[in-house]
Amino acid sequence: MENNKQHQLVNPAALFNPEPYGFSHSISVQSPFQMCFISGQSGGVGENHVLADDFKTQVQDALKNLNIILQSHSMTFENVVKITLLIVDHNPEKLEIWAEEAKKVWNPTFLPTSTLIPVSQLALPGMLFEIDAIAVKS
């Protein structure tokens, strides 16, 4: 964690080290309320960023990684106000899988705003899904 008067960088030890790649997993900004800007989280697990072969498992693992970061900021999925989804070779079946998994972590009466961007590939070979988020806590 690095701190200054305006923001705090948080890179949980349970996730891979992003510094060699030129980014941080999240930045928390203090004002009258706390805002947390979270980098895209994929389905990679652990320091070696091991990816499952299937889309559903990658979505589940990405949501676990997102939760690790939210907890690092003393937040939950309820604090998330905006997400961006990147899906490789997007199709209706993948959207259905995403919706099923999202319903497990978000209250269906208070869902975050969302943008879905179909892409041909992501940062690492084998990545099928990525989610970034903005969370707010008063």
Side-chain angles (χ1 to χ4, degrees):
M1 264 188 240
E2 293 183 28
N3 298 298
N4 72 23
K5 293 180 182 179
Q6 297 177 338
H7 66 274
Q8 175 184 24
L9 301 177
V10 178
N11 292 306
L15 302 178
F16 76 96
N17 180 5
E19 292 176 12
Y21 304 101
F23 73 97
S24 293
H25 282 295
S26 63
I27 296 174
S28 183
V29 178
Q30 294 288 9
S31 65
F33 49 88
Q34 179 184 2
M35 292 184 69
C36 181
F37 299 86
I38 301 169
S39 291
Q41 297 300 305
S42 70
V45 177
E47 182 62 33
N48 294 328
H49 204 74
V50 177
L51 292 162
D53 292 333
D54 67 290
F55 181 76
K56 183 173 184 172
T57 303
Q58 285 197 25
V59 169
Q60 292 168 337
D61 290 344
L63 289 170
K64 288 176 189 173
N65 291 340
L66 178 58
N67 191 44
I68 289 169
I69 293 173
L70 289 167
Q71 289 177 354
S72 298
H73 292 275
S74 300
M75 293 184 178
T76 68
F77 284 100
E78 292 180 12
N79 297 104
V80 176
V81 296
K82 171 74 171 97
I83 57 175
T84 303
L85 309 172
L86 300 147
I87 297 177
V88 173
D89 299 326
H90 172 66
N91 61 46
E93 292 81 24
K94 288 181 178 178
L95 186 57
E96 188 174 308
I97 291 169
W98 161 250
E100 177 184 308
E101 296 304 317
K103 289 175 188 173
K104 293 178 182 177
V105 298
W106 275 288
N107 177 342
T109 62
F110 188 78
L111 297 169
T113 61
S114 177
T115 301
L116 187 151
I117 304 171
V119 296
S120 61
Q121 67 182 37
L122 290 165
L124 298 174
M127 280 178 65
L128 304 173
F129 177 83
E130 187 170 4
I131 180 172
D132 73 14
I134 299 172
V136 178
K137 185 170 88 172
S138 53

